[in-house]
Amino acid sequence: MLILLPPSETKRPGGDGSPFRADALAFPGLIPQRESVVDALVALSADEEAATRVLKLSARQRGEVAVNAALRTSPTLPAVDRYTGVLFDALDAATLGESARGWLARHVAIHSAPFGVVAALDPLPAYRLGAGIRFPGLPSMRTVWADAVGAAIAAAGPSFVLDMRSEAYVALGPVPADMPQAYVRVVSEGPDGAVRALNHFNKHAKGDFVRHLAQAHPRISGATQLMRWAQDEGIVLRPSAAGELELELVVPSVTR
């Protein structure tokens, strides 16, 4: 099984790993795209005003331009430790044991805008780049990544893909249609049976779900087996009425 996660806009600074190398990351078929996007991002960051405008940064975020300018020389952290925010705080990979982190390395990929899909423990530098940004001199992120990411996922040969990305990142690399797969939507179910999709809380539920998987490190090769495992663990994961390629991760009703 391969689980696809979205990145986070917020990232932990610093690191103690060697600087970025495109060939040090998993999914080697993406090396050309990584090099072209990183080159474009570093070149853009030589002009603070232009970078602030293109990256849609606020005055308080202008320091991110310098972070991007140093992308090829700054230290790295494992991807799952680099990202912060609701999903990654719930996953809390830094507190997992060696076997659980090993499971993440084998079964979890994070889809980033500058690097495409990377394995959970791949070394990443800090950066700032969203899925919808378009660089001068480069086609759209979707044009750069979509076919290449789909091919890279297929080349990895997972028996089953569990897609937990946001829709913006799904568009940057759809899972090939002929691969066994399921897209996860997080919903809450009230006492009256009413179901509604969640926004902020969906990220926490996804992170918690992946943490649970990493700690249990089961062998999963399909949606039916995953749902059976979830049931045994007291997790409600069920087919969605929206279609056979979707699953609903059900969490308790949230009141605000």
Side-chain angles (χ1 to χ4, degrees):
M1 176 173 65
L2 176 66
I3 300 173
L4 298 176
L5 294 179
S8 173
E9 182 177 286
T10 56
K11 307 178 184 68
R12 187 169 286 107
D16 55 10
S18 299
F20 166 75
R21 281 181 31 224
D23 61 357
L25 308 180
F27 306 95
L30 299 177
I31 289 174
Q33 290 78 16
R34 289 167 179 157
E35 294 286 10
S36 64
V37 176
V38 168
D39 281 348
L41 185 56
V42 171
L44 174 67
S45 300
D47 184 333
E48 184 175 306
E49 292 298 327
T52 299
R53 182 178 65 255
V54 171
L55 299 177
K56 302 176 183 178
L57 302 177
S58 68
R60 294 178 60 186
Q61 296 169 329
R62 290 176 75 98
E64 301 283 2
V65 176
V67 171
N68 285 341
L71 193 153
R72 285 194 176 275
T73 58
S74 58
T76 56
L77 283 172
V80 76
D81 299 322
R82 174 65 72 192
Y83 294 104
T84 61
V86 176
L87 189 157
F88 292 95
D89 288 349
L91 174 53
D92 198 11
T95 64
L96 291 173
E98 184 177 351
S99 62
R101 285 177 67 87
W103 191 93
L104 291 177
R106 295 188 299 275
H107 296 285
V108 173
I110 302 169
H111 192 168
S112 71
F115 313 116
V117 284
V118 302
L121 299 189
D122 278 356
L124 295 188
Y127 70 91
R128 177 63 177 250
L129 180 64
I133 299 301
R134 183 160 187 168
F135 290 100
L138 272 186
S140 68
M141 288 288 101
R142 184 169 184 171
T143 301
V144 169
W145 288 118
D147 291 344
V149 167
I153 292 170
S159 59
F160 170 63
V161 180
L162 188 68
D163 197 341
M164 305 185 81
R165 296 173 295 175
S166 60
E167 292 183 2
Y169 280 91
V170 171
L172 292 194
V175 179
D178 60 350
M179 296 188 71
Q181 62 186 279
Y183 184 79
V184 174
R185 294 192 186 278
V186 180
V187 301
S188 79
E189 188 171 57
D192 59 354
V195 174
R196 68 183 181 91
L198 293 179
N199 206 352
H200 173 84
F201 292 98
N202 99 87
K203 297 178 182 179
H204 185 279
K206 289 177 179 179
D208 187 63
F209 181 71
V210 175
R211 181 180 177 87
H212 203 119
L213 278 164
Q215 290 175 313
H217 40 80
R219 293 179 178 271
I220 303 291
S221 58
T224 300
Q225 191 177 13
L226 179 63
M227 287 188 286
R228 189 180 303 122
W229 171 84
Q231 182 178 26
D232 291 344
E233 296 292 321
I235 299 169
V236 181
L237 183 69
R238 66 193 185 193
S240 170
E244 62 179 9
L245 296 182
E246 285 196 8
L247 299 175
E248 290 180 345
L249 177 60
V250 184
V251 300
S253 181
V254 177
T255 57
R256 298 188 180 184

